Amino acid sequence: MSSHHFVKEQQEPAVLILDLEKITFDSISPLLEWVPTVLVSENCVDQVLSWGIKIDVVLASEDFQKANLNLLEEQYPLRFYTSTTDNFLADGLHYLMASNHQAAHLVGFPHEKALELGLFLEKMDLTIQEAEWKFYPVKGGKFKKWFRASDIEVFGQEGLPVELENENGKLILPLTYVTILEVPEGFTEIQAPGVFWIGERTA
């Protein structure tokens, strides 16, 4: 019996794959290390299976389900969850919350839409995985982390005042649509009076 068939304790962040444009297997394989629950939208199923990833739930239209009943047997214990393209994200997150998942990685969700995740962020820990970037939210208003010398992106409500402090000094600025900041190697502290997201290059 493979480890995948043991009862999962929902300890690992689930992986919700919505789109694979510009996404490589190497960029998401670290997310799969501890055999998390994997939800995949119908348009990504063939690619995900070709990578040898075990799928738990396919978010799919009724037409897709009827045309792909073979998957239920070939990929057992895969199951279908009825949804539509416009609702894959919300339905996937509602499914995860209903099954007591506390966290999820969103693959192929554009970080520019991160502010739409507000209500889900109150109940779950979410990260956004893009081809070469990973974005994670700061909910508490204050954040401190050791970075290698690199560029980071800070994303949030337009105009949100952000204070950044590291060995280069202190900087206060209002967020614009895309705010990319150069940080030196070492600790950087960032704070703002509201939720904001930080993006780091993964490649």
Side-chain angles (χ1 to χ4, degrees):
M1 178 184 287
S2 78
S3 61
H4 192 85
H5 294 114
F6 291 123
V7 175
K8 295 181 181 179
E9 301 292 335
Q10 331 300 27
Q11 298 294 320
E12 292 303 314
V15 178
L16 174 52
I17 300 176
L18 299 164
D19 192 353
L20 289 172
E21 186 178 354
K22 299 180 183 174
I23 299 287
T24 63
F25 174 72
D26 288 344
S27 68
I28 62 172
S29 60
L31 309 180
L32 305 168
E33 188 174 351
W34 297 101
V35 198
T37 298
V38 177
L39 279 71
V40 178
S41 64
E42 62 179 44
N43 51 302
C44 298
V45 169
D46 290 343
Q47 182 67 65
V48 171
L49 291 178
S50 77
W51 284 339
I53 296 173
K54 185 75 184 73
I55 299 173
D56 294 288
V57 178
V58 176
L59 300 159
S61 64
E62 292 183 357
D63 288 344
F64 180 93
Q65 293 177 43
K66 289 173 188 170
N68 293 275
L69 288 173
N70 58 303
L71 288 175
L72 296 176
E73 187 173 337
E74 293 169 6
Q75 300 295 323
Y76 182 83
L78 174 148
R79 57 183 295 193
F80 289 132
Y81 188 82
T82 303
S83 183
T84 57
T85 304
D86 292 341
N87 294 312
F88 287 154
L89 171 69
D91 287 344
L93 291 175
H94 281 302
Y95 174 91
L96 290 172
M97 287 193 296
S99 51
N100 296 317
H101 285 81
Q102 306 295 313
H105 298 294
L106 308 181
V107 177
F109 177 75
H111 77 274
E112 295 88 355
K113 295 185 176 181
L115 300 183
E116 297 177 14
L117 298 172
L119 292 176
F120 292 108
L121 273 184
E122 294 175 10
K123 300 183 173 75
M124 298 182 75
D125 289 322
L126 300 174
T127 63
I128 297 172
Q129 183 76 40
E130 294 185 350
E132 297 181 346
W133 289 78
K134 178 179 181 178
F135 290 82
Y136 45 90
V138 178
K139 304 179 190 179
K142 195 169 188 177
F143 172 85
K144 186 175 184 179
K145 185 180 181 206
W146 188 95
F147 291 98
R148 65 181 189 275
S150 59
D151 289 338
I152 63 171
E153 183 170 337
V154 184
F155 186 87
Q157 196 73 47
E158 184 114 14
L160 186 73
V162 170
E163 182 178 303
L164 179 137
E165 187 171 3
N166 53 40
E167 66 176 38
N168 288 349
K170 184 181 287 190
L171 179 69
I172 299 176
L173 73 165
L175 287 184
T176 56
Y177 181 65
V178 176
T179 302
I180 295 181
L181 302 167
E182 194 176 309
V183 294
E185 182 172 335
F187 282 102
T188 289
E189 187 173 298
I190 306 171
Q191 54 185 323
V195 176
F196 59 96
W197 292 73
I198 292 178
E200 287 187 70
R201 283 190 184 277
T202 56

